Amino acid sequence: MVRAVYEIEIGGKIYTIPFINGGSAGYIVEEAEEKNEPAAYIVPLSSGLLEVMIDLTTTEFALTKETQEVLRKLVRELHKKALSNDNEHVPRNELWFEVNSDWVSFSIPNSLVDEAVANVAKIALNPENWRKITVLRCPVCGRRVRETETDLIGIFPDDENIQILFCPEFDQRFRGQHVVAFKWDGEWKQPSYFYHNPERDGLIEVKKGSYDNVTLYLLYLEAISGDNVNFKRPNLEWMRAKILWKNGEPVGYYAYSVDAHKYPTLHQIFVRKKFRRQGHATMMLNDFLNSFPGTVLIEDPNEATQNLLVKLSLARRVDRGIESTGRIMFLPGGI
Ligand SMILES: [Zn+2]
């Protein structure tokens, strides 16, 4: 049976709600996304019910809380009606519908679909019942991510007041998901915001919960996604860190601790790819050595750091790696 497409007029604009089979939803969603309009469609289910879907994820809007409440009430009433019509396919519990800020979906018998479209769709599709939200593109993979996707929001490890918006994409290189944005001063700021700051120059100590703390976290992610896969996150509960800035851009960082081990310890040095071979690592190592005259520990130095220690005569090459020339001691990794 070929069914007519529903047409709903809201504020002079005509919204069409086609009947489709499941496979063509992708096309409808893509088209809606291009126009920044909601995708609305009805899918016949094998149970004989019709699934009504109104999807706002294709827009920069979400349903207001009040509207969600109104819609829940309406959908519950429809559910009751469907049950009293003794439709054997209608599930008894209320799990058959979902109303959240991003979409409304429910399945309904044929006999009630006109009423459902006239009431529920008309409210959900009305821009007066929406609020503007932030939709961001993942800087790594380009996926659209909505701030309303609460299961993608995490807490910044060094400060619970800072939220992180993640991308749904899982990526082994980052030991998890891509970072899309941080909630900073009440606004979602993307990683690039923490990589450009004309007020920063030279080596700057990172304070917990600060702008630089976010930069440090991003530099760490950059490090582990490249050739420093063994780095652990610089944990400011017990570590300290300094970021080297040049013309308002972060060059790299070094992480150290003062009291965690017998001697002051250098845990990591990282220089971003485009700033390498310009003496920045030497400069950071010297800053650490000058801050702590006397014996210091170097944690599990990687190849680059080993070369640096040899260059500065703090270590010499031996058969398997390097050994100290006196001032430094090595701390095995994984501590
Ligand atoms: Zn992504």
Side-chain angles (χ1 to χ4, degrees):
M1 182 177 65
V2 178
R3 304 200 51 138
V5 166
Y6 283 101
E7 289 193 334
I8 301 181
E9 197 205 316
I10 298 166
K13 186 171 167 49
I14 307 284
Y15 287 91
T16 58
I17 307 180
F19 282 75
I20 62 164
N21 62 53
S24 39
Y27 170 69
I28 301 250
V29 169
E30 254 172 49
E31 207 171 58
E33 201 170 283
E34 254 167 48
K35 292 190 277 186
N36 191 26
E37 282 180 4
Y41 50 87
I42 298 168
V43 186
L45 303 175
S46 56
S47 62
L49 297 177
L50 298 169
E51 185 183 23
V52 179
M53 178 73 176
I54 298 139
D55 178 1
L56 266 75
T57 62
T58 53
T59 69
E60 286 160 12
F61 300 93
L63 293 166
T64 63
K65 274 212 165 65
E66 300 76 42
T67 306
Q68 290 173 55
E69 268 320 300
V70 171
L71 289 171
R72 267 185 210 112
K73 211 173 140 218
L74 271 173
V75 177
R76 267 192 209 108
E77 277 166 20
L78 283 165
H79 183 231
K80 244 185 239 163
K81 219 173 201 173
L83 285 175
S84 69
N85 291 358
D86 206 23
N87 190 310
E88 55 177 316
H89 300 297
V90 179
R92 303 278 121 187
N93 62 39
E94 290 190 351
L95 293 174
W96 65 294
F97 78 84
E98 180 158 6
V99 177
N100 59 41
S101 61
D102 290 355
W103 70 80
V104 181
S105 83
F106 54 95
S107 42
I108 197 139
N110 205 12
S111 57
L112 289 171
V113 71
D114 289 353
E115 189 179 337
V117 168
N119 296 334
V120 179
K122 198 152 194 177
I123 291 171
L125 288 172
N126 191 339
E128 284 177 15
N129 298 322
W130 304 344
R131 66 186 172 88
K132 183 112 170 88
I133 59 153
T134 304
V135 181
L136 296 160
R137 288 237 175 239
C138 171
V140 184
C141 72
R143 276 176 82 145
R144 291 167 96 250
V145 184
R146 295 160 67 78
E147 63 172 328
T148 48
E149 292 180 66
T150 47
D151 53 340
L152 294 178
I153 294 176
I155 299 293
F156 183 61
D158 280 318
D159 187 335
E160 61 182 28
N161 296 313
I162 304 172
Q163 293 179 313
I164 306 183
L165 185 62
F166 290 103
C167 166
E169 196 71 34
F170 184 86
D171 193 330
Q172 196 59 46
R173 285 180 306 153
F174 294 89
R175 290 189 204 144
Q177 292 159 292
H178 304 149
V179 169
V180 177
F182 299 84
K183 193 77 169 254
W184 187 256
D185 272 346
E187 265 180 60
W188 289 109
K189 297 283 189 194
Q190 293 210 262
S192 58
Y193 177 77
F194 300 92
Y195 266 31
H196 296 98
N197 192 332
E199 288 169 20
R200 297 284 186 280
D201 201 37
L203 266 170
I204 295 179
E205 177 92 37
V206 178
K207 289 194 188 73
K208 218 164 164 286
S210 67
Y211 171 98
D212 305 74
N213 195 175
V214 179
T215 309
L216 175 69
Y217 180 65
L218 290 165
L219 288 170
Y220 156 73
L221 292 179
E222 198 175 319
I224 61 166
S225 73
D227 45 15
N228 293 286
V229 287
N230 295 324
F231 277 13
K232 280 161 284 170
R233 183 180 67 80
N235 182 345
L236 295 188
E237 286 296 335
W238 62 276
M239 276 183 181
R240 301 187 190 181
K242 285 185 182 180
I243 294 175
L244 179 59
W245 294 83
K246 196 179 169 185
N247 302 326
E249 209 184 335
V251 164
Y253 70 91
Y254 78 85
Y256 64 105
S257 60
V258 181
D259 304 317
H261 301 285
K262 194 173 173 192
Y263 301 106
T265 307
L266 178 71
H267 296 283
Q268 301 167 3
I269 294 191
F270 170 66
V271 176
R272 296 169 70 201
K273 274 211 174 81
K274 66 170 175 175
F275 293 104
R276 287 184 190 169
R277 303 194 171 277
Q278 296 166 35
H280 296 306
T282 308
M283 191 263 204
M284 286 195 276
L285 182 61
N286 277 328
D287 183 75
F288 172 72
L289 293 168
N290 295 338
S291 309
F292 303 101
T295 305
V296 292
L297 291 168
I298 312 281
E299 184 184 344
D300 192 24
N302 60 17
E303 198 54 39
T305 308
Q306 287 185 20
N307 290 338
L308 193 58
L309 295 170
V310 171
K311 196 178 108 188
L312 298 180
S313 303
L314 289 158
R316 59 178 156 250
R317 288 268 159 217
V318 287
D319 278 355
R320 284 179 201 176
I322 56 168
E323 67 176 18
S324 170
T325 53
R327 184 176 167 194
I328 59 170
M329 289 169 74
F330 297 110
L331 183 73
I335 292 174

